[in-house]
Structures are given as structure tokens and as C-alpha cells.
Amino acid sequence: MNDIIERIDAAVADAVRQAAAATSSADLEAVRVAYLGRNGLFPALSRGMGEVPPEQRRTAGQRFNTGRAEIQEALDAAGRRIAAGADAAGAIDLTLPGRRLPAGHKHPISRVADECVAIFGRMGFVAVEGPEIEDIYHNFDALNTPADHPSRDPQDTFYFPDGRILRSQTSPVQIRVMESHEPPIRIVAPGRVFRRDTPDATHGMNFHQIEGLSIDRGVSMADLKSVLQTFAREMFGEKVRIRLRPHFFPFTEPSVEYDFSCVVCGGKGCGVCKHSGYIEIAGAGMVDPAVLANVGYDPRVWSGYAFGLGIERLAMLRYRIPDLRLLYENDVRFLEQF
Ligand code: DAH
């Protein structure tokens, strides 16, 4: 009796060890055949059961069954281990080219802003930034904007309960730079601005501007014009012409609005330029002496010009985007085109 139980124990131990050592399904199959196969060890043991005394047959039979189950379990586990190894090895083909993850890229607004900064950078303008949450002094008062000026109306500008505002223009950065630096000054300040407009194809509640400021001795309107002209050509090519029209801004005197000849039709007149041949870009002018005085510069010594550019407008012209809202919907089918 002990004899048969010992033989079963030994067979199970051997089979389990060999199954655990198997490294291929062929190895494993050989183990199975050797122990559980028709001519294997277990069926042979089963046949030997006849010689076991009847009163011990029950115990021996139970051990026989549990032993066979142990072997089967070891074979199954080894089979799963070998299959998983084969899968892992098959899934990694080190000779395949890598799979490229979809890479993001710059938004057209950022691209145009960066391009503007680069162009002005080549003309000696240093890029700076100012806060989007501004105080009324920097956004209006210091810029010589009277208390009853319509742009200060809560209908047009977003006010916080504490009296601060979302800046309505990048012009306050002029003030911040002049307050903290001695002239000469030559900066551009790109950034987001906010206005209470009803969004449509050409207006949004927030948009982007680039502010320019140059302060030095003996600066004139001719300098302003040449900088704008150079910018226009760098941005849109040699053929672009610029046009200055008299205008009014509280912080410049004289003030102009300036236009670029239409980059779509070349100035002949088309739908984009509303058949005028020109497209309005933004405002500019000679810094008002009152503004210089507000920051403690002596207007008899220093003079300068300032200008603003609408980045969305430039992006729309650059990429022929018909509706400004496309720039803010973040529809990747649109953005992927740039
Ligand atoms: N801040 C003006 C606006 O948002 C644009 C502007 C006009 C900026 C004249 C200037 C300037 O620097 O000199 O409409």
C-alpha cells in the first residue's frame, strides 16, 4: 500500500518539476505524454491498482485522483506561462519603425504672435509682458484717457468688484515698462485683451494684440512709418503697401490708424477688403507728452511712437481665415491645417 502511494507521490513530484521547467509547448507535451498519456506512468499505476489490497484501495484511489489533478494543474499553468511568453515575444518586433504619437503644434494665434515678436526683434524691439488683470490707472488714466471716455464704460470693459479690470488693450504695458525703466525704450508686448463685444466673425470678447513702443531722443513719425512698413513687408511680402489715416487715440498725438494694402487681391479690391484695396490693421501715433509726463519722462527731451496690432486680424489675413470664431473653437480638424 505504502508502496503505491509513494510511487504516486514521486510521479507527481517529477511531473510537476518537469512541467515547471518546460520552456516550449513541445517540452510540455512530452511531459504530459510521459505521465498522463495512454502509455504514460499514471495509467500504468492505475493498472497496478489491482494488486492493492481491497481495504486500501480507496485511499490509494483518492491519492491517484488528486495526483493526476495536480499534474494537470501544473501542465495548465506551464502552458499559460509559455503562451504568454510567446505572445510577448511576438508582439515586440524590434525591427519595426516606431509608432509616431500624434504631436500637437502651435495654434495659429501663437504662431503669428511669435512671428511678430521675431520680426520686431530683428528691428531691436525686446518682447515684454504685462498683467491681464489691470488697474484703471494703467489701462486708462496713465494713458491720458479721460474719466468720461466711452471705452471705460462697463458696457465695454470687464470690471471686477474691487475696481480692477480685464485689460482692454495692451497699451498699459507701455506705462508699466516706462515706470520701471529709463529711456531709451524699444519694446513689443504681445498678449490677450478683453472687451465686452458680442462675438461675430470679426469680434470676440477676448483677442490678442501686440503693443509696440519706442522712446528716444528725436524720434519722429517717419520712424514709426518705416517700422510699420518694414513689418508689413516682412509679414506679407515686398509688395505690401501701408497707408496711415488721421485718427484719435487719447495716448498719442498725432494719432493714426494704419492699413495694409489687401494681401488677398493685392489692392485691386475684393470681398476681403470690402473692395477698398486696404485692410485696417490697428492704431499708432506719437506718444502724447502727457503720457510721458505721467511716467516721469521729460517730454522736452524724450519723444517716441507707439503702435498696436491685432493678432487675430493678422492671422486671418495670413492664413485666409474667414471667421475669427474658428480660432477659438479648438476644432482639431481646423487646427490641424496649420
Ligand atoms: N490700444 C489701441 C486699441 O486697442 C491700439 C493702439 C492705438 C495702440 C494707438 C497704440 C497706439 O499703441 O499708439 O485700439
Side-chain angles (χ1 to χ4, degrees), residues 173-188:
V173 186
Q174 293 183 28
I175 303 299
R176 291 190 175 273
V177 169
M178 289 191 285
E179 279 174 343
S180 55
H181 295 79
E182 290 300 319
I185 302 264
R186 210 167 164 83
I187 57 104
V188 283

Side-chain angles (χ1 to χ4, degrees), residues 168-169 171 174 195 209 211-212 249 251-252 283-285 306-308:
S168 62
Q169 50 189 356
S171 303
Q174 293 183 28
R195 285 187 201 173
Q209 294 183 325
E211 193 77 14
F249 293 103
F251 34 89
T252 44
F307 56 87

Side-chain angles (χ1 to χ4, degrees), residues 81-131:
R81 170 175 55 76
I82 288 167
D87 275 1
I92 300 173
D93 179 349
L94 297 176
T95 64
L96 282 175
R99 240 176 266 151
R100 209 177 260 278
L101 292 173
H105 57 257
K106 275 189 194 161
H107 191 278
I109 296 283
S110 303
R111 288 174 61 143
V112 170
D114 289 353
E115 200 175 336
C116 291
V117 166
I119 293 170
F120 286 114
R122 292 197 287 275
M123 292 191 267
F125 290 82
V126 175
V128 298
E129 284 185 19

Side-chain angles (χ1 to χ4, degrees), residues 17 73-74 82 90 96 98 117 139 143 153 173 175-176 186-187 193 210 233 262 314:
R17 192 167 7 87
E73 212 169 284
I82 288 167
L96 282 175
V117 166
N139 198 86
L143 286 163
D153 196 293
V173 186
I175 303 299
R176 291 190 175 273
R186 210 167 164 83
I187 57 104
V193 302
I210 287 201
R233 288 184 179 156
C262 181
L314 294 176

Side-chain angles (χ1 to χ4, degrees), residues 134-147 149 151-152 165 169-180 211 213 215 249-252 286-297 306:
E134 258 300 2
D135 51 56
I136 294 186
Y137 176 76
H138 288 90
N139 198 86
F140 293 125
D141 294 333
L143 286 163
N144 204 35
T145 308
H149 194 274
S151 65
R152 297 173 75 132
I165 58 169
Q169 50 189 356
T170 44
S171 303
V173 186
Q174 293 183 28
I175 303 299
R176 291 190 175 273
V177 169
M178 289 191 285
E179 279 174 343
S180 55
E211 193 77 14
L213 175 70
I215 306 283
F249 293 103
F251 34 89
T252 44
M286 301 306 293
V287 179
D288 195 298
V291 173
L292 296 175
N294 284 341
V295 297
Y297 288 4

